Structures are given as C-alpha cells and as structure tokens.
Amino acid sequence: MSWEDIKIEIGDSVKKAMEERHVSPDEVKMVINHVENEGGVKLYVPDTNRYLGKIIIGEATFYADYSIEGDKYIINSAYAHKAEIQG
C-alpha cells in the first residue's frame, strides 16, 4: 500500500486548523503510511484509540494525531514545524 491509498476523514474544524498550519491531507497520509506501513515510530494513548506519528519531509517535521476506524483513519489534529540543530 502506498500513502496515496490511505483513507482519511477530516472534520471541518481540523481541516481549518490544518490549512492555517499549512499541513496538507497528503502530508498527513504520508505520516500515517510511514508509521503504519514502513516501521516508523508512533505513540499510543492508552484506552483512547489515538495515535501520534511523525515524519520528516524536507526540512519540516509533520505530525498527525489520529484514530483508526476500520480501514480509515480519523484525523484529530495535524501540525508541522521546521527546526535546525546546530552544533
């Protein structure tokens, strides 16, 4: 399965927040694919069916907070940041 095949559901308020944060649905799909299918690390919030995954794309790190319902992923939140470690 590729990231393009990931099925996501995004509510209106989350969609608006993602737009304000300049995070696209495709980037969220890439996060989910990375942690669910490519061995990336994800965090699980016990007893909540919520996960947090991340992926680095270019110079930015993208995060997705999501739940799993059947064969689709419900997006609870998504955000990104750029950081450079110097030293």
Side-chain angles (χ1 to χ4, degrees), residues 4 14 22 25-26 34 39-40 52 56-57 61 66-67 74 83-84:
E4 292 99 338
V14 174
H22 306 287
D26 285 347
H34 178 67
L52 178 66
I56 298 171
I57 303 171
T61 304
Y66 61 95
S67 303
I74 310 303
E84 182 180 333

Side-chain angles (χ1 to χ4, degrees), residues 64-81:
D65 170 346
Y66 61 95
S67 303
I68 302 171
E69 287 188 11
D71 67 343
K72 68 181 174 182
Y73 299 88
I74 310 303
I75 309 307
N76 303 308
S77 182
Y79 53 97
H81 72 80

Side-chain angles (χ1 to χ4, degrees), residues 23 27-28 31 52-55 61-65 77-81:
V23 176
E27 290 159 336
V28 169
V31 171
L52 178 66
K54 71 175 183 174
I55 189 173
T61 304
F62 292 85
Y63 297 85
D65 170 346
S77 182
Y79 53 97
H81 72 80

Side-chain angles (χ1 to χ4, degrees), residues 17-36:
M18 286 173 54
E19 289 171 0
E20 291 171 357
R21 297 170 182 163
H22 306 287
V23 176
S24 74
D26 285 347
E27 290 159 336
V28 169
K29 288 181 178 185
M30 289 179 200
V31 171
I32 293 169
N33 185 63
H34 178 67
V35 300
E36 295 291 335

Side-chain angles (χ1 to χ4, degrees), residues 2-17:
S2 72
W3 66 265
E4 292 99 338
D5 299 323
I6 301 283
K7 296 177 187 172
I8 61 174
E9 184 176 303
I10 306 171
D12 290 339
S13 63
V14 174
K15 190 177 292 185
K16 182 178 181 192

